Amino acid sequence: MLLARSLSFAIFIAACTSSVVKGDGDGECRLWLGPSHLGTDNDPEFGIFAGVDFAPDEIIPDIEVAIPLVDWTEQFNRDTALKNMIVEFVESQVWTGDFAGAKWEGDQNTIVAIPGIGNLANYHSGYHNVDWLQSAALLRKPLDLFESGVAHPARGAITPYHNLTMKATEHIPAGMELFANFGETWDNNQTMEDSFQDKLTRWDYQHADQILDAIIAFMDQYDKDLTPDLQENILDFMLEKILGTAVGKRAKVIRSLIPDNPKKLKAVKEAGGTFLYRNNDLVKSQKWLKKHAMCMDNLKVGPSTIPEAGRGAFTTRKIAKGDVVVPSPMVHIANEELFNMYEIIEKEDAKTGDVTLDIDKSNFLQQQLLINYCFGHRESNILLLPIGSYVSMINHAPAGKANAYITWSRHKHVTNDHGLHDLSIEQLAERNKVGIVMVVQALRDIEVGEEIFIDYGKEWEAAWKEHMAQWNKDYEQDKTWQLTADDMKMQYKEKPFEADLTDGINPYPPSVATTCFLRTEDLPDGRPRRNPDGLEIFLYAEDLSHDEITGADMYVCDVISRTDKLTDGDLYNYTVLAKISDDDIVQVENVPHGSITFVDQPYQGDIHNTGGFRHYISLRDGDFPQAWRNIRE
Ligand SMILES: *[C@@H]1O[C@H](CO)[C@@H](O)[C@H](O)[C@H]1NC(C)=O
Ligand SMILES: *[C@@H]1O[C@H](CO)[C@@H](O)[C@H](O)[C@H]1NC(C)=O
Ligand SMILES: *[C@@H]1O[C@H](CO)[C@@H](O)[C@H](O)[C@H]1NC(C)=O
């Protein structure tokens, strides 16, 4: 049986917020890639370090794309131990689709690879200082590369998910490693795994900081009246007697974070709280950064100078011939075949009647888009996904025109594990850590603001030539292109959403659906709580500002009516039916125009177009390890 390829319900996206990004270029390197505090000498990990101070809410200047892997983590891709290992490793390196607004790309589960800060900022169970500004990606402006309804050779070959942005959640001093908020599910998982130990969590530090603040406020208030002895007695009483009752079984742990000498309380606060006081070695000096880390802030994104290419990477600093443009750890994906997409079918077990998902290998769809962002080699099944900042934005130029190339890192601390070159790709698949590190290196002196190009190799070039020939032939026959969610977003930016929709009729192109960002509150007393169809009614919560929306607030929804045009503020208010889960539909009133948007129906977006270009980028033959060549020509 084929799975339904349509959201059983018509679907939405929305507007903009402003944030300041620190100027680039001349200044100090703002982000460094170096050995993380979480690694050890024998078992290094990479992390990102701030090169300058970041204020709370300041944008971290590595704004990335998200590349979806659609319905990829299902059982059918894990049917051997080796494949399972590969999928698990990749899964540990990516985010769930909802951070980017990509959760409806497929029928099952879409995950997204987010290079740069999305991959390299580590998890710390005790602390985080950066988090997604989810609205930036969820409310992103469509790429202006494509003309609405018109074919283009790059349609489906590049990801539509961009503007993935992290911001500082607190003051980050220069030299501090960046730790990202990985979300509650991850936190809970980590806490449960470690619950047998007295391991400190983020909440312990938060609790301790709150208690510290309260004690300092109390002491300050009675400062004149308290002798040092009395202060000590009071602090002792608070920590011994009150803390235990207030924070229960974590008391011992939290107690250990607060100094018992009253004179030291303020020093803890001045250090930035209990976490930074305890972990003062986390802040590195500029000297340490220059020696141990590599600047990952020499590039920025802009419209490519090649018209068909979309985005490109441009230098923010002068780079001398032979110097590193940007370092790039690589996630190894040791089986290219896992990127083949087939029709997904349901399979019933004859004995038990259990239904599982399978793929119909006679029905090949195309390859996952992620392959376009990976490096590979014609004699190998291995793919390497670059996770260096903006490396995936670097375009191709033929040999002779390219101003940079990619090769193994020989940096002393951000180093490639050359031992991995001797492993077979099966052995490499068993490595569940990133150990391969490459660098993009300048072939000549490069000025500020130049676009970086590398040679993607002759296989890629041949594939692109073939794609263009076919594309030109098709274009002569038919220039039109099915309307996408991005087209609809532009059309309905200022124009009211359709409201005359009757049961099951989608007033928009069948390839798109509307979605709403919703957090709700109860109706005021005195109004019926259910509509005539028995669906529960809620009000849109007024305090949901656009900065705060998250992918988890995004629901498939249908507009059923709208108010008259408002005199001020947003365009219109709407009443919508929102699909909270498969069997829970609710009515929400007062939804503003800017909280409604479009998504492509599953398997309907440009990236599912079967004629879309697909090819990996070739590593230079001389660089490619012999042991990894498992396909001999
Ligand atoms: C990216 O997000 C920022 C912050 O929300 C916003 O100001 C900007 O317009 C967005 N850019 C694009 C291209 O969507
Ligand atoms: C935590 O996550 C891992 C990997 O996803 C999983 O194998 C494990 O069972 C989870 N642990 C808990 C306690 O949920
Ligand atoms: C539109 O909705 C907002 C709350 O989201 C509310 O404050 C406002 O009164 C509504 N306007 C109309 C005309 O319904």
Side-chain angles (χ1 to χ4, degrees):
M1 195 198 85
L2 284 186
L3 284 174
R5 275 290 154 74
S6 164
L7 300 165
S8 56
F9 192 81
I11 307 187
F12 284 86
I13 303 189
C16 281
T17 51
S18 60
S19 316
V20 188
V21 181
K22 260 196 190 136
D24 48 51
D26 32 285
E28 272 169 290
C29 178
R30 296 167 301 176
L31 295 173
W32 295 81
L33 177 71
S36 167
H37 296 283
L38 303 178
T40 61
D41 284 350
N42 295 329
D43 194 13
E45 296 214 21
F46 303 106
I48 300 182
F49 294 80
V52 294
D53 281 18
F54 288 97
D57 287 331
E58 195 172 331
I59 302 286
I60 308 298
D62 180 13
I63 297 172
E64 288 288 347
V65 289
I67 311 132
L69 268 173
V70 180
D71 292 347
W72 192 70
T73 54
E74 300 303 318
Q75 191 50 42
F76 51 73
N77 274 342
R78 305 170 181 261
D79 56 359
T80 66
L82 194 66
K83 278 155 86 182
N84 188 43
M85 236 159 8
I86 296 172
V87 172
E88 288 213 337
F89 172 55
V90 174
E91 248 191 319
S92 72
Q93 302 290 318
V94 301
W95 295 83
T96 58
D98 54 345
F99 283 92
K103 65 178 159 190
W104 290 292
E105 274 298 343
D107 287 324
Q108 311 299 326
N109 181 22
T110 297
I111 53 178
V112 289
I114 308 176
I117 191 167
N119 188 290
L120 293 162
N122 285 311
Y123 175 82
H124 193 298
S125 62
Y127 178 72
H128 73 235
N129 48 20
V130 294
D131 195 2
W132 292 111
L133 175 64
Q134 293 193 37
S135 58
L138 295 169
L139 306 178
R140 70 194 180 276
K141 296 188 195 93
L143 291 177
D144 49 17
L145 182 61
F146 306 133
E147 197 183 328
S148 181
V150 180
H152 186 288
R155 278 209 188 256
I158 57 178
T159 179
Y161 301 100
H162 61 107
N163 216 27
L164 278 286
T165 307
M166 281 213 186
K167 61 172 187 191
T169 51
E170 57 181 64
H171 171 79
I172 305 175
M176 178 79 194
E177 183 168 350
L178 303 188
F179 293 109
N181 182 5
F182 276 32
E184 261 172 51
T185 319
W186 187 285
D187 279 328
N188 291 342
N189 184 316
Q190 300 299 310
T191 317
M192 280 164 77
E193 307 241 300
D194 292 321
S195 55
F196 60 91
Q197 16 171 302
D198 269 358
K199 185 157 175 168
L200 290 160
T201 70
R202 198 141 56 73
W203 293 279
D204 295 329
Y205 288 107
Q206 273 169 13
H207 260 127
D209 282 343
Q210 282 164 4
I211 292 163
L212 184 79
D213 282 351
I215 298 177
I216 291 176
F218 177 86
M219 296 287 194
D220 279 352
Q221 196 178 345
Y222 299 104
D223 197 20
K224 293 185 296 298
D225 312 326
L226 302 177
T227 63
D229 268 0
L230 205 47
Q231 285 192 359
E232 225 165 279
N233 283 342
I234 292 173
L235 182 58
D236 194 51
F237 173 75
M238 284 173 162
L239 295 180
E240 289 304 323
K241 299 283 168 347
I242 301 186
L243 192 64
T245 14
V247 293
K249 60 181 194 309
R250 301 298 289 169
K252 204 171 122 223
V253 172
I254 292 174
R255 167 85 175 78
S256 72
L257 295 174
I258 302 175
D260 37 25
N261 179 347
K263 293 200 192 77
K264 283 198 183 149
L265 294 172
K266 284 203 174 145
V268 177
K269 194 162 167 68
E270 274 152 22
T274 49
F275 179 81
L276 289 179
Y277 184 76
R278 192 185 167 96
N279 299 281
N280 56 1
D281 60 330
L282 278 183
V283 179
K284 302 295 186 194
S285 65
Q286 291 291 335
K287 204 172 136 206
W288 185 92
L289 289 176
K290 287 192 177 117
K291 179 163 175 215
H292 293 85
M294 293 170 99
C295 181
M296 53 174 271
D297 176 38
N298 294 330
L299 294 177
K300 65 175 180 184
V301 182
S304 172
T305 53
I306 304 175
E308 310 86 73
R311 294 160 287 229
F314 296 80
T315 52
T316 58
R317 292 189 178 76
K318 250 178 126 137
I319 316 263
K321 178 176 173 177
D323 278 359
V324 170
V325 178
V326 60
S328 186
M330 314 289 274
V331 174
H332 53 276
I333 305 165
N335 184 351
E336 183 185 335
E337 276 146 38
L338 276 172
F339 277 7
N340 290 342
M341 298 169 78
Y342 300 94
E343 192 75 60
I344 299 173
I345 51 174
E346 284 185 344
K347 198 175 63 177
E348 196 179 317
D349 187 302
K351 277 197 211 115
T352 62
D354 291 347
V355 176
T356 50
L357 296 178
D358 203 352
I359 41 180
D360 173 4
K361 285 219 168 168
S362 66
N363 208 344
F364 174 73
L365 303 176
Q366 61 163 189
Q367 285 176 307
Q368 296 276 359
L369 174 64
L370 192 61
I371 198 166
N372 285 4
Y373 292 82
C374 289
F375 287 81
H377 189 272
R378 65 180 186 283
E379 288 181 351
S380 179
N381 253 335
I382 197 172
L383 293 171
L384 302 177
L385 173 68
I387 49 176
S389 172
Y390 300 139
V391 173
S392 39
M393 298 292 102
I394 298 176
N395 288 312
H396 162 75
K401 296 231 166 89
N403 53 10
Y405 68 106
I406 191 161
T407 188
W408 310 111
S409 170
R410 299 191 186 275
H411 189 273
K412 193 150 176 254
H413 302 279
V414 186
T415 188
N416 179 58
D417 180 354
H418 280 78
L420 299 177
H421 294 194
D422 299 332
L423 301 183
S424 70
I425 67 171
E426 287 78 15
Q427 288 166 326
L428 197 53
E430 290 173 18
R431 290 298 182 104
N432 60 359
K433 259 178 109 165
V434 173
I436 300 171
V437 185
M438 304 194 79
V439 289
V440 176
Q441 202 150 312
L443 277 170
R444 58 163 171 80
D445 290 347
I446 301 174
E447 294 303 314
V448 179
E450 271 194 70
E451 183 168 358
I452 295 291
F453 293 105
I454 61 175
D455 176 6
Y456 280 12
K458 58 183 196 299
E459 291 87 12
W460 186 93
E461 228 170 37
W464 180 254
K465 223 166 137 188
E466 197 183 308
H467 171 74
M468 283 308 293
Q470 184 61 43
W471 187 85
N472 281 320
K473 232 191 272 166
D474 294 347
Y475 190 71
E476 270 168 32
Q477 307 265 308
D478 185 5
K479 296 181 169 48
T480 62
W481 194 259
Q482 116 179 335
L483 290 175
T484 65
D486 277 353
D487 298 324
M488 303 311 285
K489 277 186 229 175
M490 295 314 279
Q491 267 191 39
Y492 283 87
K493 222 172 139 195
E494 314 261 286
K495 168 171 125 175
F497 292 99
E498 310 301 333
D500 50 359
L501 128 135
T502 44
D503 290 48
I505 311 264
N506 180 0
Y508 306 106
S511 52
V512 304
T514 36
T515 56
C516 296
F517 292 107
L518 297 174
R519 264 180 240 163
T520 59
E521 56 194 32
D522 286 342
L523 287 181
D525 286 343
R527 280 198 49 189
R529 302 268 149 161
R530 290 188 182 269
N531 76 3
D533 294 328
L535 300 181
E536 240 185 309
I537 309 175
F538 294 93
L539 285 183
Y540 181 85
E542 265 181 77
D543 57 358
L544 180 54
S545 94
H546 276 162
D547 277 358
E548 292 164 20
I549 62 161
T550 69
D553 299 321
M554 196 177 185
Y555 301 98
V556 174
C557 69
D558 273 350
V559 172
I560 54 172
S561 68
R562 63 172 185 249
T563 58
D564 289 337
K565 197 170 168 67
L566 304 178
T567 44
D568 54 345
D570 234 328
L571 264 179
Y572 291 87
N573 275 0
Y574 300 85
T575 296
V576 305
L577 294 184
K579 186 171 173 180
I580 303 303
S581 67
D582 272 347
D583 40 30
D584 191 14
I585 293 172
V586 300
Q587 175 167 325
V588 184
E589 298 181 357
N590 281 358
V591 180
H593 188 89
S595 292
I596 305 179
T597 185
F598 291 92
V599 297
D600 293 303
Q601 293 270 4
Y603 288 90
Q604 290 296 310
D606 281 359
I607 68 165
H608 299 285
N609 145 40
T610 50
F613 178 75
R614 291 289 183 274
H615 207 278
Y616 61 80
I617 304 164
S618 292
L619 285 176
R620 299 186 312 166
D621 192 51
D623 274 343
F624 199 80
Q626 293 302 324
W628 296 357
R629 300 184 191 225
N630 63 336
I631 310 171
R632 293 288 176 170
E633 284 169 338

